[in-house]
Amino acid sequence: NIRSKDFPIRVDGVVINPDRTKLGEPNEYDLMDNSIAFKINTAEAKTKILYGYMSVGRLGRAVPMLKVSPVEVNETIVEDVSLGSYDKFLSMDLREDEEVIVFSAGDVIPQIKLPMVRANVYNSPLLKIKRVCPYCGEKLTRVNTEYYCTNSECPRIITGRISNFLIKMGIEGFSDKSVEMIYNSLGIKSIAQFLNLTSDQIMNVDGFDRISADNLVSELERLRNTSTSIAKFFGALG
């Protein structure tokens, strides 16, 4: 029904929530527990590969990505596409400047598939993505089928650990980029140091003014003065 042009609201997916009267009280740590999300593939589009790179998440997991020529899919301009895993990337035998089809799968970041007929594919060299961390330059470590940056001094690992903690503890009004800027400017390397930041310190970081600095410090103070469960605390620590 929501795929149809007659549907009154433009959507690209739907979330089905269970009947709580039958399941009991919701999981207070995961309100989406037992819910199912469906992505509606309303469109796909052809584009060209520009280059490949590794994206490293907050906890060090590395995912191969493609930078593609900007293309509109599901009313969104797409420039970055996830390849899922390095093994999948290798199996696709992608070529430089190759034309691919971008589509929305179940993830937030779109994915690609190959056209039925690949044009001039063997006239171009194989696309290569180095298995190194783009943040610290260290070689990535394979764990089962995944790749990780395991360098404890990697800026992405340090700031990602802090960001992960703040998100899991419910801090609002900040982003990964905010933590990275504070790390680069003030050298904050631990959760404890971040929790004790002052407005004057944050004011010295480019991109922050008095209001944004005060808001972040207010959130940190709220966190320090709010009791929480041991399970939630250690879960936030990762």
Side-chain angles (χ1 to χ4, degrees):
N1 184 31
I2 67 175
R3 287 175 187 261
S4 69
K5 293 182 180 180
D6 296 330
F7 195 72
I9 303 171
R10 294 296 300 135
V11 297
D12 64 356
V14 60
V15 177
I16 299 178
N17 292 301
D19 185 346
R20 289 297 175 189
T21 61
K22 296 181 180 180
L23 281 182
E25 292 298 319
N27 182 347
E28 63 177 304
Y29 301 116
D30 183 6
L31 296 179
M32 301 300 291
D33 188 25
N34 295 317
S35 299
I36 301 176
F38 291 93
K39 195 75 172 179
I40 306 301
N41 296 326
T42 56
E44 59 185 32
K46 287 186 177 180
T47 185
K48 183 179 288 187
I49 296 173
L50 298 179
Y51 59 86
Y53 65 97
M54 296 298 285
S55 174
V56 178
R58 295 189 187 103
L59 300 181
R61 178 172 176 264
V63 177
M65 303 283 294
L66 290 183
K67 178 69 73 172
V68 299
S69 296
V71 63
E72 184 175 350
V73 177
N74 280 341
E75 301 178 358
T76 301
I77 301 300
V78 176
E79 296 183 71
D80 297 275
V81 183
S82 171
L83 291 172
S85 72
Y86 203 85
D87 287 349
K88 180 182 178 182
F89 159 64
L90 293 177
S91 70
M92 295 183 78
D93 193 34
L94 295 173
R95 303 282 167 158
E96 294 182 5
D97 301 319
E98 183 172 2
E99 189 175 71
V100 293
I101 299 172
V102 175
F103 68 99
S104 293
D107 300 319
V108 176
I109 300 177
Q111 298 182 22
I112 67 161
K113 59 185 178 181
L114 297 172
M116 293 294 291
V117 179
R118 300 172 68 181
N120 301 321
V121 65
Y122 296 111
N123 292 332
S124 299
L126 277 170
L127 180 70
K128 296 181 179 179
I129 301 179
K130 294 182 178 180
R131 283 170 284 190
V132 298
C133 176
Y135 291 88
C136 66
E138 291 288 322
K139 185 178 179 180
L140 297 171
T141 300
R142 182 166 179 131
V143 180
N144 296 321
T145 60
E146 306 285 355
Y147 282 88
Y148 291 85
C149 177
T150 55
N151 176 15
S152 60
E153 294 300 315
C154 175
R156 179 56 170 158
I157 300 299
I158 293 172
T159 59
R161 186 182 301 121
I162 296 172
S163 295
N164 183 70
F165 178 82
L166 298 178
I167 290 172
K168 294 292 180 63
M169 295 300 291
I171 292 293
E172 299 179 354
F174 88 102
S175 64
D176 281 5
K177 190 64 177 177
S178 301
V179 177
E180 289 177 10
M181 291 190 299
I182 291 172
Y183 164 82
N184 292 330
S185 180
L186 303 178
I188 300 299
K189 289 189 173 184
S190 71
I191 295 170
Q193 288 177 318
F194 199 94
L195 290 177
N196 286 288
L197 284 170
T198 66
S199 291
D200 289 339
Q201 285 178 299
I202 300 175
M203 278 283 291
N204 291 324
V205 179
D206 290 339
F208 284 89
D209 55 22
R210 172 59 67 181
I211 295 177
S212 59
D214 286 346
N215 288 341
L216 179 54
V217 169
S218 177
E219 279 291 292
L220 295 176
E221 183 177 359
R222 179 181 65 80
L223 174 59
R224 291 197 306 270
N225 294 320
T226 302
S227 61
T228 188
S229 70
I230 293 177
K232 183 177 181 179
F233 177 74
F234 277 104
L237 286 178

